[in-house]
Amino acid sequence: MKKKELDRRMEAENVSQLKYMLEIELDNLIARTDIDMNLFIGVDGRIFSTSIPDKLTPQQYQLLSTFRSNLPHLCNKLRGEDLEISIEQWKRGMAIVASVGDNSFLTCLLSKREDISKMGDILDDVVKTTKVLHHIFEQKPMTEDVLSQYPDEVRKELKDLSRQLFVERFQHTRQFKKNIKALEFIKEKIKKSIGIGQVDQIVSVTFNELGTSAPYMDDDQWLLFLDMVVDNHLKRLIGDVQAQEYKKMWKIELQRKLKKFI
């Protein structure tokens, strides 16, 4: 069976992944525009996530200091007004302040003064980013029903982010670690029954027959995988009786490991 090319995505499962996804989006906004720094902040002043260069130029440092001194004012402004987006101009640069839901906002810092009449594209991108941040921060699902409520550009950005999160963080998930343990268990059982020589070949052929690979398996697929290993490969090497005995014992052990994996 030929493996299908799947559009794999991942939703944030914990605080660490949630923060990582927010940072990706803040970084992406900088990559698309002339913005120097981004800060995602609660109206109580808590900073949830940032995208700030490791090394700041003197002008960027001064701009960030100006922002920090103005943060209480910005928080009061967001709490006291039904503000959607505004532009603050300072001697050292400027800030775009845009609400993200009712209790948080995005601040984009630019170290050079822009002509406000020519900032339409940047402002559109900032507004798009606020919708993306709000979706992530509220931990809304990445289902088609939910995504269909957004404009095309927001929907595309969310899909791209979930793909990027999968690529960069999937190996750190509980599912990935659980699947690697399951694979190690089965390979060890095969080795003990017929020796190490054919283990990798049997495992590789069985995954091809199943049409997937170890990182993306679920519990039912692991049980099916074990059946296929024994019935399609081990049985002819060790005989029906021994194979059936092994399969029964291994399946009980595997089910226990899958169920108890933390």
Side-chain angles (χ1 to χ4, degrees):
M1 182 186 298
K2 185 178 180 181
K3 292 183 183 179
K4 297 179 180 178
E5 292 294 327
L6 298 178
D7 180 14
R8 299 195 184 278
R9 305 177 201 160
M10 191 172 91
E11 297 183 33
E13 299 176 347
N14 52 50
V15 173
S16 175
Q17 291 176 7
L18 177 67
K19 189 172 186 297
Y20 189 81
M21 205 169 186
L22 292 171
E23 289 174 353
I24 293 174
E25 178 57 16
L26 295 181
D27 288 344
N28 288 349
L29 178 58
I30 287 179
R32 296 192 299 260
T33 65
D34 292 329
I35 293 169
D36 292 71
M37 295 169 275
N38 286 319
L39 301 98
F40 178 40
I41 307 168
V43 293
D44 58 1
R46 286 181 298 165
I47 297 178
F48 298 130
S49 189
T50 65
S51 180
I52 299 174
D54 293 331
K55 293 183 178 180
L56 298 176
T57 66
Q59 190 169 354
Q60 288 174 333
Y61 180 81
Q62 292 167 354
L63 175 61
L64 187 58
S65 296
T66 299
F67 161 75
R68 285 172 175 161
S69 64
N70 279 272
L71 182 56
H73 163 71
L74 293 175
C75 290
N76 288 332
K77 193 172 184 179
L78 267 293
R79 280 197 299 262
E81 301 178 18
D82 190 18
L83 178 68
E84 292 188 1
I85 191 167
S86 71
I87 297 175
E88 305 281 333
Q89 289 188 310
W90 304 313
K91 290 181 179 180
R92 306 297 183 185
M94 60 197 305
I96 303 170
V97 181
S99 64
V100 179
D102 295 329
N103 299 305
S104 57
F105 62 97
L106 169 66
T107 296
C108 308
L109 301 178
L110 295 86
S111 59
K112 62 180 182 179
R113 298 281 290 268
E114 299 277 352
D115 183 342
I116 296 177
S117 66
K118 298 178 181 179
M119 291 182 63
D121 290 342
I122 292 180
L123 294 177
D124 288 344
D125 213 336
V126 169
V127 170
K128 179 184 77 172
T129 299
T130 62
K131 296 181 187 301
V132 172
L133 293 175
H134 186 249
H135 179 102
I136 298 169
F137 194 64
E138 294 293 321
Q139 295 182 285
K140 296 180 180 179
M142 292 283 189
T143 62
E144 290 300 328
D145 285 346
V146 174
L147 295 180
S148 65
Q149 301 171 22
Y150 296 119
D152 289 345
E153 63 273 14
V154 175
R155 184 164 61 250
K156 181 180 182 302
E157 183 70 10
L158 284 167
K159 287 182 176 181
D160 289 346
L161 280 173
S162 62
R163 292 189 195 101
Q164 190 172 350
L165 182 66
F166 176 85
V167 169
E168 298 181 13
R169 302 299 293 177
F170 181 67
Q171 291 187 359
H172 301 278
T173 63
R174 177 182 179 277
Q175 178 188 347
F176 179 87
K177 295 174 183 177
K178 177 181 181 179
N179 284 339
I180 297 305
K181 290 291 185 183
L183 176 60
E184 291 172 352
F185 169 81
I186 292 176
K187 291 178 74 171
E188 184 63 24
K189 293 301 184 183
I190 299 172
K191 184 177 76 171
K192 287 183 178 180
S193 65
I194 62 170
I196 195 171
Q198 298 185 56
V199 173
D200 289 340
Q201 179 184 352
I202 289 173
V203 167
S204 178
V205 169
T206 304
F207 276 126
N208 286 334
E209 292 170 342
L210 195 57
T212 186
S213 57
Y216 315 119
M217 299 275 277
D218 59 32
D219 290 5
D220 290 339
Q221 286 176 315
W222 278 120
L223 297 175
L224 176 58
F225 182 86
L226 181 58
D227 285 342
M228 293 171 67
V229 164
V230 175
D231 294 338
N232 299 350
H233 303 283
L234 296 188
K235 187 180 291 185
R236 60 182 171 79
L237 298 173
I238 62 176
D240 289 359
V241 175
Q242 188 69 68
Q244 290 304 315
E245 182 179 340
Y246 280 160
K247 183 167 71 170
K248 182 178 179 180
M249 291 188 301
W250 295 351
K251 186 169 284 190
I252 292 172
E253 288 184 62
L254 180 59
Q255 286 175 316
R256 187 182 303 120
K257 286 183 177 295
L258 293 171
K259 184 176 181 180
K260 291 186 177 181
F261 183 84
I262 299 177

